[in-house]
Amino acid sequence: MDFISGEIIGIDKPLGWTSFDAVKRLRGAIQRRLRVKKFKVGHAGTLDPLATGVLIVCTGRATRMIETLQNGSKEYIAEITLGATTPSYDLETEVDETYPWKHITRDLIEETLPKFVGNVMQVPPVFSAVKIDGKRAYNLARKGKEVELKAKPLEIKEIEILGFEGNKLTIRVVCSKGTYIRALARDIGEALGSGAHLTALRRTRVGEIKIEDCLTIDRAVEVIDNGPLTFPDDYRILT
């Protein structure tokens, strides 16, 4: 492994971890292995703490590829609960309203979902990292301040129904950078004449990196600790 020239590591981010938590853990392992106090490590495409799955971590000079990597299409498996909404559109906040949902059939869902495929405009969640006058929207929302966000263009390439039982809908989504699956859950609920929020999310692909190619955090640290090391020819210059 040549961490300085750059490695691209696919991580299966666990539930409850922030993307920064994962990067911090790997950075610490690399710093210990290289015996340095600072080292450049970053990630391509943030995952919320309540989401799991593919997180691309780049080291050294490979951090220059972050923008290119995060521009790749993404695939998600999402569980949506119909009949209730939350301010954050997921489980970060409590249910604020309930709606009828028993009128929703699989036929209605199959008729509705194609409306979201293609080039669409989506209003991001107020509980998001979108900036308003230099401040993160989620910080304003958590303080109870009114947040108004503008719709942004994005592309949803595929939506497939994987399961529908009771008020639980599971879908597979392939989409562009910048898509909020929480906001998609909100919009699907409204289109079905109800409300909805996201109750589980797993990212299964970013660009060409699939979930089956990824390592757990512990396995990645083990590889960093014990794998063979190589260095670029100009390593002395870098140090």
Side-chain angles (χ1 to χ4, degrees), residues 26-44:
L26 267 61
R27 182 191 294 118
I30 293 170
Q31 288 173 176
R32 289 193 302 273
R33 184 72 195 274
L34 297 181
R35 298 180 181 179
V36 295
K37 292 183 178 180
K38 292 184 179 180
F39 195 75
K40 196 169 186 179
V41 181
H43 68 276

Side-chain angles (χ1 to χ4, degrees), residues 27-101:
R27 182 191 294 118
I30 293 170
Q31 288 173 176
R32 289 193 302 273
R33 184 72 195 274
L34 297 181
R35 298 180 181 179
V36 295
K37 292 183 178 180
K38 292 184 179 180
F39 195 75
K40 196 169 186 179
V41 181
H43 68 276
T46 301
L47 267 182
D48 290 340
L50 294 178
T52 65
V54 180
L55 180 70
I56 300 176
V57 177
C58 301
T59 79
R61 293 169 181 164
T63 55
R64 300 170 187 171
M65 300 176 63
I66 283 176
E67 185 173 354
T68 299
L69 291 167
Q70 65 188 12
N71 283 338
S73 63
K74 298 170 177 64
E75 180 184 72
Y76 296 90
I77 304 298
E79 180 191 81
I80 298 170
T81 295
L82 304 168
T85 59
T86 71
S88 61
Y89 311 149
D90 65 4
L91 293 176
E92 182 182 344
T93 54
E94 298 292 329
V95 169
D96 59 355
E97 285 193 65
T98 58
Y99 301 82
W101 59 268

Side-chain angles (χ1 to χ4, degrees), residues 31 34 41 79 83 91 105 149 153 190 209 217 224 231 237:
Q31 288 173 176
L34 297 181
V41 181
E79 180 191 81
L91 293 176
T105 63
L149 298 176
E190 290 177 358
I209 297 180
I217 295 287
I224 291 168
F231 297 91
I237 299 173

Side-chain angles (χ1 to χ4, degrees), residues 2-19:
D2 184 345
F3 296 116
I4 296 167
S5 293
E7 296 287 346
I8 298 173
I9 307 169
I11 296 297
D12 184 354
K13 188 193 79 65
L15 185 67
W17 285 52
T18 66
S19 298

Side-chain angles (χ1 to χ4, degrees), residues 184-197:
L184 178 61
R186 169 203 63 197
D187 295 341
I188 289 173
E190 290 177 358
L192 291 171
S194 183
H197 62 287

